[in-house]
Short mmCIF file of all heavy atoms in Angstrom, two decimals:
data_model
loop_
_atom_site.label_atom_id
_atom_site.label_comp_id
_atom_site.label_asym_id
_atom_site.label_seq_id
_atom_site.Cartn_x
_atom_site.Cartn_y
_atom_site.Cartn_z
N ALA A 1 341.19 121.52 187.81
CA ALA A 1 341.44 122.77 188.51
C ALA A 1 342.79 122.70 189.22
O ALA A 1 343.12 121.67 189.80
CB ALA A 1 340.33 123.03 189.52
N PRO A 2 343.55 123.78 189.20
CA PRO A 2 344.86 123.77 189.86
C PRO A 2 344.79 123.41 191.34
O PRO A 2 345.69 122.77 191.86
CB PRO A 2 345.37 125.20 189.67
CG PRO A 2 344.64 125.72 188.50
CD PRO A 2 343.31 125.03 188.51
N SER A 3 343.74 123.83 192.02
CA SER A 3 343.65 123.53 193.46
C SER A 3 343.54 122.04 193.72
O SER A 3 343.92 121.57 194.79
CB SER A 3 342.47 124.27 194.09
OG SER A 3 341.26 123.83 193.53
N ASP A 4 343.06 121.26 192.75
CA ASP A 4 342.98 119.82 192.91
C ASP A 4 344.36 119.18 192.95
O ASP A 4 344.52 118.08 193.46
CB ASP A 4 342.17 119.19 191.77
CG ASP A 4 340.70 119.57 191.82
OD1 ASP A 4 340.23 120.01 192.89
OD2 ASP A 4 340.03 119.44 190.79
N ASP A 5 345.34 119.88 192.40
CA ASP A 5 346.71 119.37 192.37
C ASP A 5 347.45 119.61 193.69
O ASP A 5 348.51 119.05 193.90
CB ASP A 5 347.51 120.03 191.25
CG ASP A 5 347.00 119.63 189.87
OD1 ASP A 5 346.37 118.56 189.75
OD2 ASP A 5 347.23 120.40 188.93
N LEU A 6 346.90 120.45 194.55
CA LEU A 6 347.57 120.75 195.82
C LEU A 6 347.45 119.56 196.77
O LEU A 6 346.38 118.96 196.89
CB LEU A 6 346.96 121.98 196.49
CG LEU A 6 347.09 123.31 195.76
CD1 LEU A 6 346.40 124.41 196.56
CD2 LEU A 6 348.54 123.67 195.50
N THR A 7 348.54 119.27 197.46
CA THR A 7 348.50 118.22 198.48
C THR A 7 347.82 118.77 199.73
O THR A 7 347.62 119.98 199.87
CB THR A 7 349.92 117.76 198.86
OG1 THR A 7 350.61 118.86 199.48
CG2 THR A 7 350.69 117.28 197.63
N ARG A 8 347.49 117.88 200.64
CA ARG A 8 346.89 118.30 201.91
C ARG A 8 347.80 119.28 202.63
O ARG A 8 347.36 120.31 203.15
CB ARG A 8 346.62 117.08 202.79
CG ARG A 8 345.97 117.43 204.12
CD ARG A 8 345.91 116.25 205.07
NE ARG A 8 347.21 115.65 205.34
CZ ARG A 8 348.10 116.16 206.21
NH1 ARG A 8 347.85 117.27 206.85
NH2 ARG A 8 349.25 115.55 206.41
N ARG A 9 349.10 119.01 202.65
CA ARG A 9 350.05 119.88 203.33
C ARG A 9 350.15 121.24 202.64
O ARG A 9 350.22 122.27 203.31
CB ARG A 9 351.42 119.20 203.39
CG ARG A 9 352.45 119.99 204.17
CD ARG A 9 352.00 120.20 205.60
NE ARG A 9 352.79 119.37 206.47
CZ ARG A 9 352.61 119.30 207.78
NH1 ARG A 9 351.68 120.00 208.37
NH2 ARG A 9 353.34 118.51 208.51
N GLU A 10 350.13 121.25 201.32
CA GLU A 10 350.18 122.52 200.60
C GLU A 10 348.94 123.36 200.89
O GLU A 10 349.04 124.57 201.08
CB GLU A 10 350.32 122.26 199.10
CG GLU A 10 351.68 121.72 198.70
CD GLU A 10 351.75 121.17 197.30
OE1 GLU A 10 350.70 120.99 196.65
OE2 GLU A 10 352.88 120.88 196.86
N ARG A 11 347.79 122.72 200.95
CA ARG A 11 346.56 123.45 201.30
C ARG A 11 346.65 124.00 202.72
O ARG A 11 346.22 125.12 202.99
CB ARG A 11 345.34 122.54 201.19
CG ARG A 11 344.91 122.24 199.79
CD ARG A 11 343.76 121.23 199.81
NE ARG A 11 343.39 120.84 198.47
CZ ARG A 11 342.35 121.35 197.82
NH1 ARG A 11 341.60 122.25 198.39
NH2 ARG A 11 342.09 120.95 196.60
N GLU A 12 347.19 123.19 203.62
CA GLU A 12 347.34 123.61 205.01
C GLU A 12 348.25 124.84 205.11
O GLU A 12 347.92 125.81 205.79
CB GLU A 12 347.93 122.44 205.80
CG GLU A 12 347.93 122.58 207.28
CD GLU A 12 348.37 121.28 207.96
OE1 GLU A 12 349.03 120.42 207.33
OE2 GLU A 12 348.05 121.15 209.14
N ILE A 13 349.36 124.80 204.40
CA ILE A 13 350.29 125.92 204.41
C ILE A 13 349.67 127.14 203.75
O ILE A 13 349.77 128.26 204.27
CB ILE A 13 351.62 125.51 203.75
CG1 ILE A 13 352.37 124.55 204.69
CG2 ILE A 13 352.48 126.73 203.40
CD1 ILE A 13 353.60 123.93 204.11
N LEU A 14 348.99 126.95 202.64
CA LEU A 14 348.32 128.06 201.97
C LEU A 14 347.29 128.72 202.88
O LEU A 14 347.18 129.94 202.94
CB LEU A 14 347.66 127.58 200.67
CG LEU A 14 346.88 128.62 199.87
CD1 LEU A 14 347.75 129.82 199.53
CD2 LEU A 14 346.31 127.99 198.61
N THR A 15 346.56 127.92 203.62
CA THR A 15 345.57 128.46 204.56
C THR A 15 346.24 129.33 205.62
O THR A 15 345.76 130.43 205.92
CB THR A 15 344.79 127.32 205.23
OG1 THR A 15 344.12 126.57 204.22
CG2 THR A 15 343.77 127.84 206.22
N LEU A 16 347.33 128.86 206.17
CA LEU A 16 348.04 129.62 207.21
C LEU A 16 348.65 130.89 206.63
O LEU A 16 348.61 131.96 207.26
CB LEU A 16 349.11 128.75 207.87
CG LEU A 16 348.57 127.60 208.71
CD1 LEU A 16 349.69 126.63 209.08
CD2 LEU A 16 347.88 128.13 209.96
N VAL A 17 349.22 130.80 205.44
CA VAL A 17 349.80 131.97 204.78
C VAL A 17 348.71 133.00 204.49
O VAL A 17 348.89 134.19 204.71
CB VAL A 17 350.56 131.55 203.50
CG1 VAL A 17 350.86 132.74 202.61
CG2 VAL A 17 351.84 130.82 203.88
N ALA A 18 347.58 132.54 203.98
CA ALA A 18 346.46 133.44 203.68
C ALA A 18 345.92 134.10 204.94
O ALA A 18 345.35 135.18 204.89
CB ALA A 18 345.36 132.69 202.96
N ASP A 19 346.14 133.43 206.09
CA ASP A 19 345.72 133.99 207.38
C ASP A 19 346.73 135.01 207.91
O ASP A 19 346.55 135.56 208.97
CB ASP A 19 345.55 132.83 208.37
CG ASP A 19 344.79 133.24 209.62
OD1 ASP A 19 343.87 134.07 209.52
OD2 ASP A 19 345.15 132.73 210.70
N GLY A 20 347.80 135.23 207.15
CA GLY A 20 348.78 136.25 207.52
C GLY A 20 349.98 135.74 208.29
O GLY A 20 350.79 136.53 208.78
N ARG A 21 350.13 134.44 208.39
CA ARG A 21 351.27 133.86 209.12
C ARG A 21 352.55 133.98 208.30
O ARG A 21 352.54 133.87 207.09
CB ARG A 21 351.04 132.38 209.42
CG ARG A 21 349.77 132.07 210.14
CD ARG A 21 349.87 132.40 211.59
NE ARG A 21 348.64 131.98 212.25
CZ ARG A 21 348.58 131.70 213.53
NH1 ARG A 21 349.63 131.80 214.29
NH2 ARG A 21 347.44 131.33 214.06
N THR A 22 353.66 134.18 209.00
CA THR A 22 354.97 134.19 208.35
C THR A 22 355.44 132.76 208.15
O THR A 22 354.89 131.82 208.74
CB THR A 22 356.01 134.93 209.22
OG1 THR A 22 356.22 134.18 210.42
CG2 THR A 22 355.56 136.35 209.54
N ASN A 23 356.48 132.60 207.33
CA ASN A 23 357.04 131.26 207.11
C ASN A 23 357.52 130.64 208.43
O ASN A 23 357.32 129.45 208.66
CB ASN A 23 358.19 131.31 206.12
CG ASN A 23 357.73 131.59 204.71
OD1 ASN A 23 356.54 131.62 204.43
ND2 ASN A 23 358.67 131.78 203.81
N ILE A 24 358.12 131.45 209.27
CA ILE A 24 358.61 130.93 210.56
C ILE A 24 357.44 130.49 211.43
O ILE A 24 357.50 129.42 212.06
CB ILE A 24 359.47 131.99 211.28
CG1 ILE A 24 360.77 132.21 210.50
CG2 ILE A 24 359.75 131.59 212.72
CD1 ILE A 24 361.61 133.36 211.01
N GLU A 25 356.38 131.27 211.46
CA GLU A 25 355.20 130.89 212.25
C GLU A 25 354.58 129.59 211.72
O GLU A 25 354.21 128.72 212.50
CB GLU A 25 354.16 132.00 212.23
CG GLU A 25 354.57 133.23 213.01
CD GLU A 25 353.62 134.40 212.82
OE1 GLU A 25 353.02 134.54 211.73
OE2 GLU A 25 353.47 135.18 213.78
N VAL A 26 354.48 129.48 210.39
CA VAL A 26 353.93 128.27 209.79
C VAL A 26 354.79 127.07 210.16
O VAL A 26 354.28 126.02 210.55
CB VAL A 26 353.81 128.41 208.25
CG1 VAL A 26 353.42 127.10 207.61
CG2 VAL A 26 352.81 129.51 207.89
N ALA A 27 356.10 127.24 210.05
CA ALA A 27 357.02 126.15 210.38
C ALA A 27 356.85 125.69 211.82
O ALA A 27 356.78 124.49 212.10
CB ALA A 27 358.46 126.60 210.13
N ARG A 28 356.75 126.62 212.74
CA ARG A 28 356.57 126.27 214.16
C ARG A 28 355.24 125.58 214.42
O ARG A 28 355.17 124.62 215.17
CB ARG A 28 356.72 127.51 215.02
CG ARG A 28 358.14 128.01 215.09
CD ARG A 28 358.28 129.22 215.96
NE ARG A 28 359.67 129.67 215.97
CZ ARG A 28 360.05 130.91 216.20
NH1 ARG A 28 359.14 131.84 216.44
NH2 ARG A 28 361.31 131.23 216.18
N LEU A 29 354.20 126.07 213.79
CA LEU A 29 352.87 125.47 213.97
C LEU A 29 352.81 124.04 213.44
O LEU A 29 352.12 123.19 214.01
CB LEU A 29 351.80 126.32 213.28
CG LEU A 29 351.42 127.61 213.97
CD1 LEU A 29 350.58 128.49 213.04
CD2 LEU A 29 350.65 127.32 215.25
N LEU A 30 353.51 123.78 212.34
CA LEU A 30 353.44 122.47 211.69
C LEU A 30 354.62 121.56 212.05
O LEU A 30 354.71 120.45 211.54
CB LEU A 30 353.36 122.65 210.17
CG LEU A 30 352.16 123.43 209.66
CD1 LEU A 30 352.20 123.54 208.15
CD2 LEU A 30 350.86 122.80 210.11
N TRP A 31 355.51 122.05 212.90
CA TRP A 31 356.66 121.26 213.34
C TRP A 31 357.54 120.83 212.17
O TRP A 31 357.92 119.66 212.04
CB TRP A 31 356.22 120.04 214.16
CG TRP A 31 355.62 120.43 215.46
CD1 TRP A 31 354.32 120.76 215.69
CD2 TRP A 31 356.29 120.57 216.71
NE1 TRP A 31 354.14 121.09 217.01
CE2 TRP A 31 355.33 120.98 217.67
CE3 TRP A 31 357.61 120.39 217.12
CZ2 TRP A 31 355.65 121.21 219.00
CZ3 TRP A 31 357.93 120.61 218.46
CH2 TRP A 31 356.96 121.01 219.37
N VAL A 32 357.82 121.78 211.28
CA VAL A 32 358.72 121.55 210.15
C VAL A 32 359.72 122.71 210.11
O VAL A 32 359.58 123.68 210.85
CB VAL A 32 357.97 121.45 208.80
CG1 VAL A 32 357.02 120.26 208.79
CG2 VAL A 32 357.21 122.73 208.48
N THR A 33 360.70 122.61 209.23
CA THR A 33 361.66 123.70 209.10
C THR A 33 361.09 124.80 208.21
O THR A 33 360.18 124.56 207.41
CB THR A 33 362.99 123.21 208.50
OG1 THR A 33 362.76 122.80 207.14
CG2 THR A 33 363.58 122.07 209.31
N GLU A 34 361.66 125.98 208.33
CA GLU A 34 361.25 127.08 207.47
C GLU A 34 361.55 126.74 206.01
O GLU A 34 360.78 127.10 205.11
CB GLU A 34 361.98 128.37 207.87
CG GLU A 34 361.53 129.58 207.08
CD GLU A 34 362.24 130.85 207.49
OE1 GLU A 34 363.16 130.80 208.33
OE2 GLU A 34 361.89 131.90 206.94
N GLN A 35 362.63 126.02 205.76
CA GLN A 35 362.98 125.61 204.40
C GLN A 35 361.90 124.70 203.81
O GLN A 35 361.58 124.79 202.63
CB GLN A 35 364.34 124.92 204.37
CG GLN A 35 364.87 124.70 202.98
CD GLN A 35 365.05 126.00 202.21
OE1 GLN A 35 365.48 127.01 202.75
NE2 GLN A 35 364.69 125.98 200.94
N THR A 36 361.32 123.84 204.64
CA THR A 36 360.24 122.97 204.18
C THR A 36 359.02 123.79 203.79
O THR A 36 358.37 123.51 202.77
CB THR A 36 359.88 121.94 205.27
OG1 THR A 36 361.03 121.14 205.55
CG2 THR A 36 358.72 121.05 204.85
N VAL A 37 358.71 124.80 204.56
CA VAL A 37 357.60 125.70 204.24
C VAL A 37 357.86 126.38 202.90
O VAL A 37 356.98 126.43 202.03
CB VAL A 37 357.37 126.74 205.35
CG1 VAL A 37 356.33 127.78 204.92
CG2 VAL A 37 356.95 126.06 206.64
N LYS A 38 359.08 126.87 202.71
CA LYS A 38 359.43 127.54 201.45
C LYS A 38 359.30 126.58 200.27
O LYS A 38 358.84 126.96 199.19
CB LYS A 38 360.85 128.10 201.52
CG LYS A 38 360.97 129.29 202.45
CD LYS A 38 362.41 129.75 202.52
CE LYS A 38 362.57 130.93 203.47
NZ LYS A 38 363.97 131.38 203.55
N PHE A 39 359.71 125.33 200.47
CA PHE A 39 359.61 124.32 199.43
C PHE A 39 358.14 124.11 199.03
O PHE A 39 357.80 124.11 197.85
CB PHE A 39 360.22 123.01 199.93
CG PHE A 39 359.99 121.84 199.01
CD1 PHE A 39 360.76 121.68 197.87
CD2 PHE A 39 359.01 120.91 199.29
CE1 PHE A 39 360.55 120.62 197.02
CE2 PHE A 39 358.80 119.83 198.44
CZ PHE A 39 359.57 119.69 197.31
N HIS A 40 357.28 123.95 200.03
CA HIS A 40 355.86 123.75 199.75
C HIS A 40 355.25 124.98 199.09
O HIS A 40 354.44 124.85 198.16
CB HIS A 40 355.09 123.41 201.03
CG HIS A 40 355.31 122.01 201.51
ND1 HIS A 40 355.01 120.91 200.76
CD2 HIS A 40 355.80 121.54 202.68
CE1 HIS A 40 355.30 119.81 201.44
NE2 HIS A 40 355.79 120.18 202.61
N LEU A 41 355.62 126.17 199.54
CA LEU A 41 355.08 127.39 198.94
C LEU A 41 355.51 127.51 197.48
O LEU A 41 354.72 127.93 196.63
CB LEU A 41 355.53 128.63 199.73
CG LEU A 41 354.75 128.90 201.01
CD1 LEU A 41 355.37 130.07 201.75
CD2 LEU A 41 353.29 129.15 200.72
N ALA A 42 356.74 127.15 197.17
CA ALA A 42 357.20 127.19 195.78
C ALA A 42 356.33 126.27 194.92
O ALA A 42 355.96 126.63 193.79
CB ALA A 42 358.67 126.79 195.69
N ASN A 43 355.98 125.11 195.45
CA ASN A 43 355.10 124.19 194.72
C ASN A 43 353.70 124.78 194.55
O ASN A 43 353.09 124.66 193.49
CB ASN A 43 355.01 122.84 195.43
CG ASN A 43 356.27 122.03 195.28
OD1 ASN A 43 357.02 122.20 194.32
ND2 ASN A 43 356.51 121.15 196.22
N VAL A 44 353.20 125.41 195.61
CA VAL A 44 351.88 126.05 195.54
C VAL A 44 351.89 127.13 194.46
O VAL A 44 350.99 127.18 193.61
CB VAL A 44 351.48 126.67 196.91
CG1 VAL A 44 350.26 127.57 196.77
CG2 VAL A 44 351.22 125.57 197.93
N TYR A 45 352.91 127.99 194.46
CA TYR A 45 352.99 129.06 193.47
C TYR A 45 353.01 128.50 192.06
O TYR A 45 352.31 128.99 191.17
CB TYR A 45 354.25 129.92 193.68
CG TYR A 45 354.37 130.60 195.01
CD1 TYR A 45 355.60 131.05 195.46
CD2 TYR A 45 353.28 130.79 195.85
CE1 TYR A 45 355.75 131.69 196.67
CE2 TYR A 45 353.41 131.42 197.08
CZ TYR A 45 354.65 131.87 197.49
OH TYR A 45 354.80 132.49 198.69
N ARG A 46 353.80 127.46 191.85
CA ARG A 46 353.91 126.84 190.53
C ARG A 46 352.58 126.24 190.09
O ARG A 46 352.12 126.47 188.97
CB ARG A 46 354.99 125.76 190.55
CG ARG A 46 355.18 125.05 189.22
CD ARG A 46 356.28 123.99 189.30
NE ARG A 46 356.17 123.09 190.44
CZ ARG A 46 355.32 122.06 190.53
NH1 ARG A 46 354.49 121.80 189.54
NH2 ARG A 46 355.31 121.29 191.60
N LYS A 47 351.93 125.51 190.99
CA LYS A 47 350.67 124.85 190.66
C LYS A 47 349.55 125.83 190.39
O LYS A 47 348.67 125.58 189.56
CB LYS A 47 350.28 123.87 191.77
CG LYS A 47 351.18 122.65 191.84
CD LYS A 47 350.80 121.76 193.00
CE LYS A 47 351.71 120.54 193.09
NZ LYS A 47 351.31 119.66 194.21
N LEU A 48 349.54 126.95 191.11
CA LEU A 48 348.48 127.94 190.94
C LEU A 48 348.81 128.97 189.87
O LEU A 48 347.95 129.76 189.49
CB LEU A 48 348.20 128.65 192.27
CG LEU A 48 347.70 127.78 193.42
CD1 LEU A 48 347.41 128.64 194.64
CD2 LEU A 48 346.48 126.96 193.03
N GLY A 49 350.05 129.00 189.43
CA GLY A 49 350.46 129.98 188.42
C GLY A 49 350.56 131.38 188.97
O GLY A 49 350.20 132.35 188.29
N VAL A 50 351.04 131.50 190.21
CA VAL A 50 351.20 132.81 190.85
C VAL A 50 352.67 133.00 191.21
O VAL A 50 353.47 132.07 191.15
CB VAL A 50 350.31 132.94 192.10
CG1 VAL A 50 348.84 132.80 191.74
CG2 VAL A 50 350.69 131.92 193.17
N CYS A 51 353.02 134.23 191.62
CA CYS A 51 354.42 134.57 191.87
C CYS A 51 354.79 134.74 193.34
O CYS A 51 355.97 134.74 193.68
CB CYS A 51 354.79 135.85 191.13
SG CYS A 51 354.67 135.68 189.35
N ASN A 52 353.79 134.95 194.20
CA ASN A 52 354.12 135.21 195.60
C ASN A 52 352.94 134.87 196.52
O ASN A 52 351.87 134.48 196.06
CB ASN A 52 354.55 136.68 195.79
CG ASN A 52 353.49 137.65 195.32
OD1 ASN A 52 352.32 137.53 195.63
ND2 ASN A 52 353.92 138.65 194.54
N ARG A 53 353.17 135.05 197.83
CA ARG A 53 352.16 134.66 198.83
C ARG A 53 350.90 135.51 198.74
O ARG A 53 349.81 135.02 198.99
CB ARG A 53 352.77 134.66 200.23
CG ARG A 53 353.15 136.01 200.73
CD ARG A 53 354.12 136.01 201.92
NE ARG A 53 353.71 135.25 203.07
CZ ARG A 53 354.35 134.16 203.52
NH1 ARG A 53 355.44 133.73 202.94
NH2 ARG A 53 353.92 133.53 204.58
N THR A 54 351.04 136.76 198.36
CA THR A 54 349.86 137.62 198.22
C THR A 54 348.98 137.14 197.08
O THR A 54 347.76 137.02 197.25
CB THR A 54 350.29 139.09 197.99
OG1 THR A 54 351.10 139.52 199.09
CG2 THR A 54 349.09 139.99 197.85
N GLU A 55 349.59 136.84 195.95
CA GLU A 55 348.83 136.33 194.81
C GLU A 55 348.22 134.97 195.13
O GLU A 55 347.09 134.68 194.72
CB GLU A 55 349.71 136.22 193.57
CG GLU A 55 350.10 137.55 192.97
CD GLU A 55 350.95 137.40 191.73
OE1 GLU A 55 351.11 136.28 191.21
OE2 GLU A 55 351.48 138.44 191.27
N ALA A 56 348.95 134.13 195.85
CA ALA A 56 348.43 132.81 196.22
C ALA A 56 347.21 132.95 197.12
O ALA A 56 346.21 132.26 196.95
CB ALA A 56 349.51 131.98 196.89
N SER A 57 347.30 133.86 198.09
CA SER A 57 346.17 134.09 199.00
C SER A 57 344.97 134.62 198.24
O SER A 57 343.84 134.16 198.44
CB SER A 57 346.57 135.08 200.10
OG SER A 57 347.61 134.56 200.88
N ARG A 58 345.22 135.57 197.38
CA ARG A 58 344.13 136.15 196.58
C ARG A 58 343.49 135.08 195.69
O ARG A 58 342.28 135.01 195.56
CB ARG A 58 344.68 137.29 195.74
CG ARG A 58 343.62 137.96 194.89
CD ARG A 58 344.26 138.92 193.93
NE ARG A 58 344.17 140.26 194.46
CZ ARG A 58 344.94 141.26 194.07
NH1 ARG A 58 345.88 141.07 193.19
NH2 ARG A 58 344.76 142.46 194.56
N TRP A 59 344.33 134.24 195.07
CA TRP A 59 343.83 133.16 194.23
C TRP A 59 342.96 132.21 195.05
O TRP A 59 341.87 131.83 194.62
CB TRP A 59 344.99 132.40 193.60
CG TRP A 59 344.57 131.41 192.57
CD1 TRP A 59 344.59 131.59 191.22
CD2 TRP A 59 344.04 130.10 192.78
NE1 TRP A 59 344.10 130.47 190.59
CE2 TRP A 59 343.76 129.54 191.52
CE3 TRP A 59 343.78 129.34 193.91
CZ2 TRP A 59 343.23 128.26 191.37
CZ3 TRP A 59 343.24 128.07 193.78
CH2 TRP A 59 342.98 127.54 192.52
N ALA A 60 343.43 131.83 196.22
CA ALA A 60 342.70 130.89 197.06
C ALA A 60 341.34 131.45 197.46
O ALA A 60 340.33 130.72 197.40
CB ALA A 60 343.53 130.55 198.30
N TYR A 61 341.29 132.70 197.87
CA TYR A 61 340.00 133.31 198.23
C TYR A 61 339.09 133.43 197.01
O TYR A 61 337.90 133.14 197.07
CB TYR A 61 340.20 134.69 198.87
CG TYR A 61 340.59 134.62 200.33
CD1 TYR A 61 341.87 134.97 200.74
CD2 TYR A 61 339.69 134.21 201.30
CE1 TYR A 61 342.24 134.90 202.06
CE2 TYR A 61 340.05 134.14 202.63
CZ TYR A 61 341.32 134.49 203.01
OH TYR A 61 341.68 134.43 204.32
N GLY A 62 339.67 133.85 195.90
CA GLY A 62 338.90 134.07 194.68
C GLY A 62 338.32 132.80 194.07
O GLY A 62 337.32 132.84 193.36
N HIS A 63 338.96 131.66 194.37
CA HIS A 63 338.50 130.40 193.81
C HIS A 63 337.80 129.52 194.84
O HIS A 63 337.60 128.33 194.63
CB HIS A 63 339.67 129.64 193.18
CG HIS A 63 340.14 130.27 191.90
ND1 HIS A 63 341.01 131.33 191.85
CD2 HIS A 63 339.82 129.99 190.61
CE1 HIS A 63 341.22 131.67 190.61
NE2 HIS A 63 340.49 130.89 189.83
N GLY A 64 337.43 130.13 195.98
CA GLY A 64 336.64 129.40 196.97
C GLY A 64 337.40 128.36 197.77
O GLY A 64 336.79 127.58 198.48
N LEU A 65 338.73 128.36 197.68
CA LEU A 65 339.52 127.42 198.46
C LEU A 65 339.51 127.81 199.93
O LEU A 65 339.52 126.97 200.81
CB LEU A 65 340.95 127.36 197.93
CG LEU A 65 341.84 126.27 198.46
CD1 LEU A 65 341.27 124.90 198.14
CD2 LEU A 65 343.24 126.40 197.89
N LEU A 66 339.45 129.11 200.17
CA LEU A 66 339.40 129.64 201.53
C LEU A 66 338.18 130.56 201.63
O LEU A 66 337.70 131.06 200.63
CB LEU A 66 340.67 130.45 201.82
CG LEU A 66 341.98 129.72 201.57
CD1 LEU A 66 343.13 130.71 201.70
CD2 LEU A 66 342.15 128.57 202.52
N HIS A 67 337.75 130.78 202.83
CA HIS A 67 336.58 131.64 203.02
C HIS A 67 336.95 132.77 203.95
O HIS A 67 337.55 132.56 204.99
CB HIS A 67 335.41 130.84 203.61
CG HIS A 67 335.06 129.66 202.76
ND1 HIS A 67 334.38 129.78 201.57
CD2 HIS A 67 335.32 128.34 202.91
CE1 HIS A 67 334.23 128.60 201.04
NE2 HIS A 67 334.79 127.70 201.83
N SER A 68 336.58 133.98 203.57
CA SER A 68 336.85 135.14 204.44
C SER A 68 335.92 135.09 205.62
O SER A 68 334.79 134.62 205.55
CB SER A 68 336.69 136.43 203.66
OG SER A 68 335.47 136.46 202.97
N SER A 69 336.43 135.57 206.75
CA SER A 69 335.62 135.52 207.98
C SER A 69 335.01 136.84 208.32
O SER A 69 335.26 137.85 207.77
CB SER A 69 336.48 135.04 209.14
OG SER A 69 337.76 135.59 209.12
#
């Protein structure tokens, strides 16, 4: 499964993005640069076969990686 290929950090970033956080907010929360967040998101998109954060979030919810509250 593609989600098995995600690193712990990529899952963490995907969770925050799916929660509606911006790249800057994610960077501040994780104490990394915005460029680092973008790098991880590009890897997430590639691994999941999606094109953007909306599709990644939808994929994550649809495949049980995240749970709606």
Side-chain angles (χ1 to χ4, degrees):
S3 63
D4 293 341
D5 293 336
L6 297 178
T7 65
R8 181 189 57 79
R9 184 59 107 183
E10 289 167 349
R11 286 175 185 261
E12 191 173 21
I13 288 173
L14 178 56
T15 300
L16 292 168
V17 165
D19 195 35
R21 306 283 185 156
T22 66
N23 289 353
I24 292 172
E25 290 172 328
V26 172
R28 289 181 181 154
L29 285 168
L30 300 179
W31 293 86
V32 297
T33 67
E34 184 179 4
Q35 191 60 39
T36 299
V37 172
K38 289 178 182 179
F39 172 78
H40 285 301
L41 281 175
N43 287 335
V44 168
Y45 300 161
R46 179 179 49 78
K47 290 177 181 181
L48 298 183
V50 299
C51 297
N52 57 47
R53 67 197 305 115
T54 302
E55 289 181 10
S57 297
R58 181 189 261 160
W59 189 99
Y61 280 110
H63 288 83
L65 190 61
L66 307 172
H67 304 285
S68 50
S69 41

